Amino acid sequence: MSDIYESAANSLGLFNSTCLTKVELRVACRGIPDRDALSKPDPSIVLKMQSHGQWLEVDRTEVIRSTSSVTFSRVFTLDFYFEEVQRLRFELHDVGTTYNGLKTSECLGAVECTLGQIVSQRKLSKALLRPGSTVGKTIVTISAEELTGNDDYIELSFSARKLDDKDFFSKSDPFLEMFRINDDGTMQLVHRTETVMNNLNPVWNTFKVSLNSLCSGDHERKLQCTVWDWDSNGKHDFIGDFEATFKEMRGAMDGRQVQWECLNPKYKVKKKNYKNSGIVILNQCKIIKMHSFLDYIMGGCQIQFTVAIDFTASNGDPRNSCSLHYIHPYQPNEYLKALVAVGEICQDYDSDKMFPALGFGAQIPPDFKVSHDFAVNFNDENPECAGIQGVVEAYQSCLPKLQLYGPTNIAPIIQKVARSASQETHTEEAMQYFILLILTDGVITDMSDTREAIVQASHLPMSIIIVGVGNADFSDMQMLDGDDGILRSPRGEPVLRDIVQFVPFKDFKHASPSALAKSVLAEVPSQVVEYYNSKGMKPRVASQYQAARTFGP
């Protein structure tokens, strides 16, 4: 092992924690202050987790329009580590829309606690701490529930016909809420559909919910379903409700329908000839077996790891100690730290430990033409290096042989790895998933081509991690990470799924180095599962995988 590689690996101090269990968190708020005398807030909760002194966003709820009290239907699913203090921050935002359609967000305050506190109490209520550390009147309640071993999801498609008309000058704007009735008689919101405007015969979008969230695995547990007429002032009109069970819903499998009368108890008492306030129809109930990341890995799926390194002139002359590419005999540079941090994790899931290492933005021998997808070992026929140590050695060896140049174009490398990933789409087994790590010191110059390449790659078994090295302003790079919105190609085509994770290395300079790997790789397991589940591709069972492997002498 080279000294510089050993130094980087030791300084990272990578560790593995064993997840004790998964928990689902549900959030409700009451007493949210009005914006002004005429308008109520549009609340949303942003969940953040503290990692080595930094607050990192984990997930966020939907936005609920014009309300001061809300129970969000979005569920946060977290790994619970008994041996770690997992600090959480629930930020309450009022999300508005400006005249030109752009989203605005005002943070009204936050609640901080640990996951252990929520789990131990099962339900935790705290007053919102407003900006300036003053206590507000808003109360945030977080409920915790341990996930059982049943990871199946249920896909449900609801519609209704002949709903009561609650509006004078137009038809009702119906939406459906589904609650699970718990053993203690309390009700837990499972799902809230979108609102279908001006329609007494709505067809709501198909949605997925875990079997655990729906009924805690109890097929005969009562579910309370309520239909409302949406009003812009937040005071929605009750249309009717009904009770159901998952056992009844299963009747909608195989193309059949299940129907319930939507009843308004007040009308039933007051009106002699009252029958119902409409019919709610379940058009489809589909059970989706959700396989885990470990199911695929243990079934033989290999992680194909590729690294791409920025060799543009903005990095500085590698012979100068101020250069981002300067090789110090004992202290690894940021490129090496990021490479080792991510590579050390990925190499455990690749049996041959051979990794393609690519470069971009340099003039390369023998003719010194600019290339944006060259092999760091200068062997275009076989750009693979033996292990992460081999990548480090190839990187060190190539620096004196090339001329740093530009511009910073990364679309060619994304397209190159995507071509390899596209070969996997012709197989019917989950055998290879591709991770491309791009290390760059500046904002890319081919943004349009990169957006197009990412949109096309989102259809493939592929994830992209971009680490910004150095002190440049990387704010424009955040648009490639779909966390804040849907990335679109220049033609307007949206990504099929979010496959990009961008982080600036400078955010982790003062944190434990292993925090970088934890941050950039956190989304990969869910991206792997999302891709294969969307394709209906099941993992091979471990026995099949072992039987299919070829072992050397």
Side-chain angles (χ1 to χ4, degrees), residues 215 217-222 244-247:
C215 61
D218 179 0
H219 292 202
E220 296 187 353
R221 182 178 295 276
K222 296 286 187 182
T245 63
F246 177 58
K247 183 177 180 180

Side-chain angles (χ1 to χ4, degrees), residues 269-282:
V269 173
K270 291 180 180 179
K271 297 183 178 181
K272 279 188 177 181
N273 298 322
Y274 176 76
K275 290 185 178 179
N276 56 57
S277 294
I279 302 294
V280 175
I281 306 156
L282 178 58

Side-chain angles (χ1 to χ4, degrees), residues 250-267:
R250 293 185 64 171
M253 299 173 70
D254 304 322
R256 293 170 290 172
Q257 290 183 337
V258 178
Q259 300 183 3
W260 295 270
E261 286 187 304
C262 188
L263 301 174
N264 187 324
K266 288 184 179 179
Y267 288 177

